[in-house]
Each structure stands twice: as structure tokens, then as C-alpha cells.
Amino acid sequence: MNDPLITTTNLSRNFSMKAAISQVDLQLHAGTLVGLVGPNGAGKTTLLNLLAGLLEPTLGQTIVLGNSSRNLSADQAQQVLYMGDRHQPPDYCRVEHLLALQADASNSFDMALAVRLLADRRLETNMRYGTLSKGQRRWVLATLALAAKPE
């Protein structure tokens, strides 16, 4: 069987005296789809931030593509995409500008795929991000992630 793309071992993260996640062991292989479900404060975002290398574990480790998530090479970092929910593009940006930025940032960006994914939702590239509904905005961000073809 192929090596896992993501492995966590005894992964824990505390904030002050409160454990956000505790002793998480996980292995995810290519092609695996995972949904994180739970109430607010369950540790879903903390886990994603640890996997993305944005937080340092209190205990344990996160291995992504064979390296610590805190020490990915530039090539490895391009194979990983994290779509958070806090930072949004400016409202004045047109979708086509967001596509161009992502294409410039990713060696594997598939513009034809991006345009097709947007068209599937009746979104046009000349639309301004600020005029889109919450669901349409999430679809644009998902399109940017998927068209970059991360591992």
C-alpha cells in the first residue's frame, strides 16, 4: 500500500490550560475524502491549522508528504492547499483576477478545470467577489483550491 500523505502521531494542542485536541492519531492516503464534523470548539480548525503548519503542536507530530508540516519545502507546499474560513478576497476583486493570482502561485493550476467548475454553478469570471452569495463565495474558493490540483 502507498505511504500516507498525512500522518499524525499523538497530536495534541493546548491553549493555556485547555486542550483543543488531544492525542490524535491519523493516517490519510491519496484519494481519501474526510469531513470534520463537530460543535464549535471541538478542535476542527485547530487540527487543520496544525496540518497546514500554521500552529506548533504542544505534543506529537504532523507529517505531510513525508516531512513535518512546519518544514515543507516550497515544492511540497504547492501540493497542499488549505481553504480556511476567515480570510476572504476583497469584495472588489473579479473572479478572473482571483483565478489569475492562483494560476501564478501554482505550477499545476488547471484554468480549464476552474472555468468548468465555475460554469457548473453558473458563475462567470467577470463577476465581482463582493456580489456573490456566501455559498457562491465558498464555491469560488473551493474552485481555486481544486484547480490547483493539490495532492
Side-chain angles (χ1 to χ4, degrees):
M1 188 169 187
N2 59 347
D3 290 335
L5 295 178
I6 296 173
T7 302
T8 67
T9 306
N10 201 33
L11 185 62
S12 301
R13 173 61 191 207
N14 299 339
F15 293 101
S16 297
M17 298 301 290
K18 182 170 174 23
I21 62 169
S22 182
Q23 299 176 338
V24 175
D25 292 322
L26 177 69
Q27 282 193 350
L28 298 177
H29 294 268
T32 304
L33 181 63
V34 176
L36 295 177
V37 180
N40 289 345
K44 301 177 299 289
T45 301
T46 299
L47 176 60
L48 291 174
N49 284 329
L50 286 162
L51 292 173
L54 301 174
L55 284 176
E56 184 77 36
T58 303
L59 184 68
Q61 63 179 348
T62 58
I63 304 297
V64 176
L65 301 172
N67 283 328
S68 165
S69 63
R70 302 275 293 175
N71 296 311
L72 296 178
S73 70
D75 287 340
Q76 289 172 319
Q78 284 208 358
Q79 297 176 54
V80 177
L81 238 129
Y82 169 62
M83 190 177 95
D85 60 356
R86 293 195 180 191
H87 301 288
Q88 297 286 320
D91 285 347
Y92 60 82
C93 280
R94 293 194 186 278
V95 173
E96 62 196 334
H97 297 138
L98 298 173
L99 294 175
L101 284 170
Q102 187 68 15
D104 285 346
S106 172
N107 294 335
S108 60
F109 191 80
D110 186 339
M111 187 64 76
L113 173 61
V115 170
R116 190 175 78 243
L117 289 171
L118 293 171
D120 287 348
R121 296 284 194 254
R122 293 184 173 83
L123 295 171
E124 298 176 16
T125 59
N126 67 345
M127 299 171 109
R128 289 194 189 275
Y129 189 76
T131 65
L132 304 175
S133 71
K134 182 179 177 183
Q136 289 172 323
R137 289 176 184 217
R138 295 300 292 169
W139 188 254
V140 167
L141 296 178
T143 295
L144 294 173
L146 292 170
K149 295 192 166 183
E151 287 290 324

